[in-house]
């Protein structure tokens, strides 16, 4: 058995045919984690008791052989910013090092309802701020394709777990690219759903108007299966969309073939790494051979997305992270002797509990929201965000010249070396130049590897992105499946 070759589909069939049990598969994955995760560092904590309890229940379901959910017995990993009742959730921050979740995030409850085996919590940049997972307060995560390189971020642990064969699929969160960019750098598939399609209840908020939870897996089909399991309306999340979407994991090549794909000229700019350009062109050529039609389109406000993001995101961060004040969250027991008033308590607990990137963004956010600067920065950025959204509406809604899906590179470069960008925030921020616009517009986007990258082959993965209309996950998943199955 090889953990790298398992997919949800193959495990499901194997369980049904009694080729192996969920308990055996769970043991097998924990053994693999013990051997391999020392070098990869994908996990922050393991939830073995839960995993074996559920595996037992899954095996009972397969014994009875009735009404078996698709994810029963499937070993999954979770980014450590989602609450899992009774277990540690750190968000990659020292300030939450000892925090035990008091309830289940909706996505976790849904996975538990399916009898999915949750193996553990994966590493991330602190509070999901970063593009390399180097901002974790605990340790770095290495890219399974080249251990001297980053897995991307901020959901680097979840991407590396799937690429390294340490989980069959996983969940991450994407605020400006944190699912798609690490998926691209690790050679796996990652989906950022439409804003509001997956409940954010129980996700530690970064920027509430942009955050979305979504899956990683080795195939588009597996990603669609996990997406089907976690999506849907949730009354605990006021931004959750009420409408039900159809199931997305059924392969339909006729549907995929008739979709028209737009190539935005603003996404194919100088400065993209040569290999990325080449990989994305290969993908386009393959789609053309498969009969897919392409059109050149323009999204003229793309160039403002990054600067706009680094105003809106810090503004929301400074509000969301205010709750980590050392009183309700944080460990002040060892600070007590140094604190004489409330202000000092805040200063000391935040000063010790937050890392440099988090501090940088909280300060920036407080500044852009402060009286006198609000209109010049935050107010203006909101207007520009609207222009970026209008670009998408225009190309998607145009009845004559419109397109169904947009294809673009996911990241301007392949995986970079650990440490290479750590001291240069700007070059790190540039990693998200192609992913941020979809978060602004709240539309779904899928990163697909140009081809199957085998760990150990020495090749660094390249991914491309399929961006869809609001609530049209079906389109990008259908095209992604058409690509991977042909
Ligand atoms: N890398 C981006 C940032 O640092 C995106 C983060 C995310 O999507 N969570 O903000």
């Amino acid at each position: 058995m090889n953990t790298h070759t398992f997919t949800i589909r193959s495990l499901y069939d194997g369980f049904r045919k009694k080729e192996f049990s969920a308990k055996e598969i769970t043991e097998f994955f924990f053994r693999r984690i013990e051997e391999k995760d020392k070098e990869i560092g994908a996990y922050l904590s393991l939830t073995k008791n839960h995993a074996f309890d559920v595996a037992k229940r899954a095996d009972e379901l397969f014994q009875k052989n009735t009404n078996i959910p698709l994810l029963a017995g499937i070993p999954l990993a979770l980014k450590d910013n989602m609450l899992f009742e009774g277990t540690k959730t750190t968000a990659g921050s020292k300030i939450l090092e000892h925090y035990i979740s008091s309830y289940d995030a909706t996505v976790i409850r849904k996975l538990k309802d399916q009898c999915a085996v949750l193996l553990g919590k994966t590493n991330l940049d602190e509070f999901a701020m970063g593009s390399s997972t180097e901002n974790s307060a605990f340790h770095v995560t290495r890219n399974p394709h080249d251990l001297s390189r980053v897995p991307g971020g901020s959901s680097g642990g979840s991407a590396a777990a799937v690429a390294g064969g340490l989980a069959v699929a996983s969940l991450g969160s994407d605020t400006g690219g944190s699912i798609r960019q690490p998926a691209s750098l690790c050679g796996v598939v990652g989906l950022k759903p439409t804003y509001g399609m997956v409940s954010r209840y129980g996700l530690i908020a970064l920027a509430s108007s942009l955050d979305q939870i979504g899956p990683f897996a080795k195939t588009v089909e597996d990603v669609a299966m996990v997406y089907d399991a976690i999506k849907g309306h949730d009354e605990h999340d006021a931004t959750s969309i009420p409408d039900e979407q159809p199931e997305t994991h059924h392969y339909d090549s006729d549907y995929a073939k008739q979709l028209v794909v737009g190539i935005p000229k603003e996404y194919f700019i100088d400065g993209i790494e040569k290999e990325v350009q080449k990989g994305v062109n290969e993908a386009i050529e393959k789609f053309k051979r498969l009969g897919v039609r392409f059109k050149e389109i323009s999204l003229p406000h793309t160039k403002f997305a990054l600067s706009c993001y680094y105003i809106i995101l810090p503004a929301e961060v400074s509000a969301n992270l205010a709750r980590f004040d050392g009183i309700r969250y944080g460990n002040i027991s060892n600070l007590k002797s140094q604190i004489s008033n409330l202000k000092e308590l805040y200063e000391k607990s935040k000063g010790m509990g937050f890392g440099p990137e988090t501090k940088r963004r909280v300060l920036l956010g407080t500044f852009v929201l402060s009286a006198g600067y609000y209109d010049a920065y935050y107010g203006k950025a909101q207007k520009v965000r609207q222009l970026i959204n209008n670009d998408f509406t225009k190309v998607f809604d145009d009845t004559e010249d419109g397109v169904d899906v947009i294809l673009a590179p996911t990241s301007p470069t392949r995986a970079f070396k650990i440490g290479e960008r750590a001291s240069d925030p700007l070059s790190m921020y540039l990693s998200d130049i192609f992913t941020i616009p979809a978060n602004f517009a709240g539309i779904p986007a899928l990163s697909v590897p140009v081809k199957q990258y085998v760990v150990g082959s020495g090749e660094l993965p390249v991914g491309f992105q399929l961006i869809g209309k609001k609530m049209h996950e079906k389109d990008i998943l259908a095209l992604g499946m058409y690509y991977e199955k042909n």
Side-chain angles (χ1 to χ4, degrees):
M1 283 201 287
N2 176 354
T3 51
H4 276 289
T5 55
F6 288 134
T7 60
I8 296 178
R9 179 65 75 193
S10 72
L11 281 179
Y12 187 80
D13 292 343
F15 291 144
R16 287 191 79 118
K17 292 187 198 134
K18 311 267 182 302
E19 283 166 16
F20 38 66
S21 68
K23 179 170 173 263
E24 280 164 350
I25 292 296
T26 306
E27 281 166 354
F28 191 64
F29 270 88
F30 278 123
R31 226 175 301 133
R32 167 93 189 162
I33 291 169
E34 234 155 74
E35 277 164 27
K36 276 282 166 197
D37 206 36
K38 282 194 279 291
E39 54 187 29
I40 297 175
Y43 284 92
L44 284 174
S45 56
L46 298 176
T47 46
K48 277 195 181 169
N49 290 343
H50 159 89
F52 282 108
D53 282 355
V54 176
K56 192 161 161 258
R57 268 196 289 130
D59 283 331
E60 284 162 12
L61 284 181
F62 283 108
Q63 271 320 323
K64 286 193 209 132
N65 206 12
T66 49
N67 289 336
I68 306 170
L70 269 178
L71 299 186
I74 304 296
L76 304 180
L78 307 159
K79 187 176 183 177
D80 200 22
N81 58 355
M82 296 169 206
L83 303 192
F84 182 168
E85 190 179 347
T87 72
K88 246 171 41 163
T89 301
T90 67
S93 181
K94 263 216 134 13
I95 209 157
L96 289 177
E97 192 173 2
H98 306 290
Y99 174 68
I100 305 287
S101 322
S102 50
Y103 64 95
D104 275 334
T106 297
V107 286
I108 290 185
R109 187 183 49 72
K110 288 190 176 220
L111 293 177
K112 284 184 176 176
D113 288 348
Q114 290 244 342
C115 252
V117 172
L118 308 175
L119 300 173
K121 308 293 286 292
T122 58
N123 200 16
L124 67 158
D125 288 298
E126 185 174 22
F127 289 107
M129 285 181 265
S131 306
S132 67
T133 314
E134 291 164 292
N135 294 340
S136 165
F138 303 108
H139 55 75
V140 296
T141 297
R142 294 170 185 277
N143 191 317
H145 290 275
D146 176 346
L147 296 173
S148 69
R149 292 176 190 267
V150 304
S154 65
S155 317
S158 287
V162 173
L166 311 176
V168 172
S170 60
L171 295 188
S173 62
D174 190 314
T175 306
S178 280
I179 293 175
R180 289 159 288 156
Q181 185 258 13
S184 169
L185 270 47
C186 286
V188 298
V189 183
L191 170 70
K192 181 203 90 72
T194 301
Y195 181 77
M197 266 336 289
V198 176
S199 170
R200 292 181 294 114
Y201 180 68
L203 170 72
I204 296 180
L206 173 59
S208 312
S209 77
L210 300 163
D211 298 341
Q212 255 306 277
I213 294 174
F216 290 96
K218 264 165 285 178
T219 65
V220 179
E221 190 181 18
D222 278 5
V223 153
M225 282 190 220
V226 180
Y227 171 63
D228 286 340
I230 60 171
K231 73 182 196 295
H233 181 61
D234 179 13
E235 60 181 22
H236 294 304
D237 174 357
T239 60
S240 156
I241 298 176
D243 314 52
E244 262 305 325
Q245 270 188 334
E247 281 198 331
T248 58
H249 68 268
H250 307 288
Y251 177 51
D252 185 348
S253 58
D254 290 336
Y255 182 75
K257 248 187 275 185
Q258 50 83 40
L259 296 166
V260 179
V261 180
I263 303 284
K265 57 173 189 273
E266 292 81 3
Y267 283 64
F268 291 81
I269 45 173
D270 287 347
I272 298 183
E273 198 184 355
K274 204 171 76 252
E275 288 78 2
V276 172
Q277 187 84 54
K278 197 167 148 261
V280 176
N281 285 339
E282 266 170 45
I284 295 172
E285 288 312 313
K286 178 171 165 184
F287 271 124
K288 284 185 179 162
R289 280 198 304 279
L290 291 169
V292 174
R293 276 178 305 141
F294 283 86
K295 260 187 197 168
E296 191 180 278
I297 56 165
S298 172
L299 299 164
H301 296 94
T302 303
K303 55 179 177 292
F304 303 118
L306 195 67
S307 30
C308 193
Y309 176 83
Y310 278 98
I311 293 174
I312 291 175
L313 179 119
E316 294 192 28
V317 165
S318 75
N320 275 329
L321 267 53
R323 76 194 67 174
F324 302 107
D325 55 8
I327 299 175
R328 278 166 301 175
Y329 305 98
N331 185 3
I332 52 161
S333 50
N334 48 359
L335 291 174
K336 275 195 182 123
S337 58
Q338 307 164 39
I339 296 169
S340 54
N341 57 42
L342 192 61
K343 187 162 169 278
E344 272 179 27
L345 165 70
Y346 290 164
E347 280 171 5
K348 291 247 157 55
S349 61
K350 289 187 189 229
M352 284 183 50
F354 288 158
E357 184 62 26
T358 301
K359 287 178 186 158
R360 187 178 295 129
R361 298 209 197 177
V362 168
L363 289 175
L364 193 58
T366 313
F367 175 75
V368 299
L369 288 177
S370 54
Y373 293 105
Y374 185 95
D375 286 340
Y377 294 108
Y378 188 74
K380 201 176 255 173
Q382 289 290 17
K383 288 185 189 142
V384 178
R385 177 177 183 173
Q386 191 55 48
L387 294 175
I388 294 166
N389 296 355
N390 294 349
D391 281 357
F392 284 110
T393 315
K394 200 154 164 251
V395 297
F396 282 141
D397 287 2
D398 193 320
T399 38
E400 268 179 26
D401 251 344
V403 298
D404 301 297
V405 171
I406 296 168
L407 188 150
T410 305
S411 159
T413 68
R414 297 174 300 164
F416 43 93
K417 290 268 186 196
I418 291 172
E420 191 182 305
R421 299 187 189 172
S423 57
D424 181 359
L426 257 186
S427 77
M428 191 70 92
Y429 295 171
L430 282 168
S431 307
D432 305 309
I433 189 160
F434 299 140
T435 46
I436 285 169
N439 297 81
F440 274 157
I443 52 182
L446 176 77
S447 181
V448 182
V450 167
K451 58 180 191 187
Q452 266 202 342
Y453 294 93
V454 180
V455 170
S457 70
E459 207 177 354
L460 287 179
V462 174
F464 64 89
Q465 200 182 179
L466 297 170
I467 305 171
K469 296 178 186 171
K470 198 166 267 182
M471 295 177 68
H472 281 244
E473 273 77 359
K474 182 170 171 238
D475 297 353
I476 54 179
L477 291 165
L479 263 182
M481 279 187 233
Y482 188 45
Y483 185 85
E484 80 182 359
K485 287 184 188 289
N486 286 287

